[in-house]
Amino acid sequence: MYHQFLNEPMVLDAEKASILTLRLPDDISDFIVLQAFSAPLLEVIVIAEAGTPQNIAIRFQPFMGLKVESLPQTAQAFNTPITRSLGQGFRLYTRMGTAAKFCAAELRRGVSFTLDMTNGLDEDNSVVNNCLTFALQADSKFELVPLEADLRVLHEPKALMVAKALLARQYDYAASSESLAIYMTEIEQVRLELQAFLRGELGQCQASLADEVLRLDPLLLQKQQWLFRTYTHMFERPNYSRAANDADNTDKLLRKLECYELLAPPELIQMVDRLMEDET
């Protein structure tokens, strides 16, 4: 599962505490995250190599970069850690309902999580040595999901989940033109997925789910139209009676012309009047 999204696994030494940062490079457009969010961004599994269980196999989406550093001296806030033993792991997902522009902004800054050695408890409450703990940075738009608790594939169709999340997202009246373009692309993409779902291209379509798709599609279209109007208004001329590149106020230009007439000699004003008569 997810082999088509993640690159080849790399083995990292986990004997000492460190911090791992997943980052979106500056030369990658935000539009790529729309496709990236359909799968986990990163997957980590605790493995045994050369007789030691203190290594991890890590895979992430190829266009992203991963940096491994020692834990910083400054106190950085992290969430409650999860404990992973031999053969266990987790995946890094975006939180449902989070706007793509916020996730892309955090990815450009870097999504960090700690890696540390600890002693854990198994099902019989006995101490298990050489466990690893992972803690994601606080207030993140992402989440660490253990492999055994990854139930996203068992939810309702992903297209329906994303459509509901887009409809529930509040209107941002101060959004930039690029954010609006990404938002419109998200809606268009999920509408295409809903149409493919209705045609049965994504598996068998149940009647109740088909009815829900038919109810969501007009709402998505209305929101997309509102976004398109907002997007086009950013580039329209302020007044249709003037040229698009006319940034000055007409009244201000008339007052400036009156000042020129007062300061100009009468002979010059007569010459201008004769030129205007010749043109007419």
Side-chain angles (χ1 to χ4, degrees):
M1 184 183 298
Y2 301 122
H3 291 285
Q4 69 273 26
F5 296 101
L6 305 175
N7 58 8
E8 293 296 326
M10 54 185 296
V11 178
L12 296 180
D13 186 5
E15 291 185 355
K16 58 181 180 180
S18 57
I19 182 170
L20 289 80
T21 303
L22 187 69
R23 180 173 286 108
L24 185 67
D26 295 334
D27 57 346
I28 300 297
S29 173
D30 289 346
F31 283 92
I32 194 64
V33 300
L34 299 181
Q35 179 64 27
F37 291 163
S38 61
L41 302 180
L42 177 139
E43 182 182 75
V44 173
I45 300 177
V46 182
I47 63 173
E49 186 176 89
T52 63
Q54 300 171 349
N55 293 324
I56 60 173
I58 182 168
R59 301 191 302 163
F60 51 91
Q61 300 210 18
F63 57 86
M64 296 186 181
L66 184 67
K67 187 176 183 180
V68 183
E69 301 174 298
S70 58
L71 283 176
Q73 299 296 331
T74 58
Q76 185 177 357
F78 289 91
N79 294 328
T80 304
I82 61 174
T83 302
R84 302 281 82 188
S85 59
L86 180 62
Q88 295 181 331
F90 66 87
R91 296 188 180 104
L92 177 68
Y93 284 99
T94 59
R95 294 187 181 276
M96 293 300 299
T98 306
K101 64 176 182 179
F102 298 127
C103 296
E106 184 173 343
L107 274 175
R108 292 199 183 279
R109 296 191 301 267
V111 180
S112 302
F113 59 92
T114 59
L115 165 63
D116 199 0
M117 293 287 297
T118 186
N119 293 328
L121 299 177
D122 59 8
E123 296 179 355
D124 299 329
N125 291 329
S126 58
V127 178
V128 179
N129 296 324
N130 297 331
C131 288
L132 298 177
T133 59
F134 301 88
L136 186 65
Q137 64 186 20
D139 301 327
S140 177
K141 303 295 187 299
F142 300 84
E143 58 181 344
L144 302 181
V145 180
L147 296 182
E148 65 273 16
D150 188 3
L151 303 178
R152 293 203 176 191
V153 294
L154 302 179
H155 289 168
E156 64 181 356
K158 178 180 177 295
L160 283 175
M161 297 174 61
V162 175
K164 293 178 182 178
L166 291 177
L167 289 175
R169 191 182 300 171
Q170 294 183 351
Y171 288 93
D172 188 1
Y173 297 94
S176 62
S177 59
E178 183 179 6
S179 299
L180 291 177
I182 295 176
Y183 199 175
M184 287 188 293
T185 305
E186 285 183 281
I187 294 179
E188 183 63 26
Q189 188 176 39
V190 75
R191 290 189 65 214
L192 292 176
E193 293 177 359
L194 290 177
Q195 294 172 9
F197 177 75
L198 280 178
R199 294 192 299 266
E201 298 176 2
L202 305 180
Q204 185 176 3
C205 182
Q206 299 179 1
S208 59
L209 294 178
D211 294 339
E212 190 169 4
V213 169
L214 294 176
R215 289 193 299 268
L216 291 177
D217 187 69
L219 299 177
L220 290 170
L221 180 59
Q222 292 177 5
K223 194 164 191 178
Q224 187 181 31
Q225 291 174 346
W226 182 89
L227 290 169
F228 181 73
R229 288 195 299 269
T230 306
Y231 180 81
T232 54
H233 287 170
M234 292 183 175
F235 303 99
E236 286 180 353
R237 63 187 67 176
N239 192 326
Y240 285 103
S241 64
R242 303 202 307 268
N245 58 354
D246 186 7
D248 293 334
N249 187 280
T250 304
D251 295 336
K252 184 178 179 180
L253 293 176
L254 291 175
R255 289 196 300 270
K256 185 183 295 186
L257 179 60
E258 292 176 356
C259 294
Y260 280 122
E261 291 179 351
L262 292 175
L263 296 176
E267 295 80 4
L268 180 60
I269 297 178
Q270 293 177 1
M271 292 176 59
V272 172
D273 291 339
R274 284 197 297 269
L275 290 174
M276 294 298 297
E277 291 176 357
D278 294 339
E279 289 183 0
T280 56

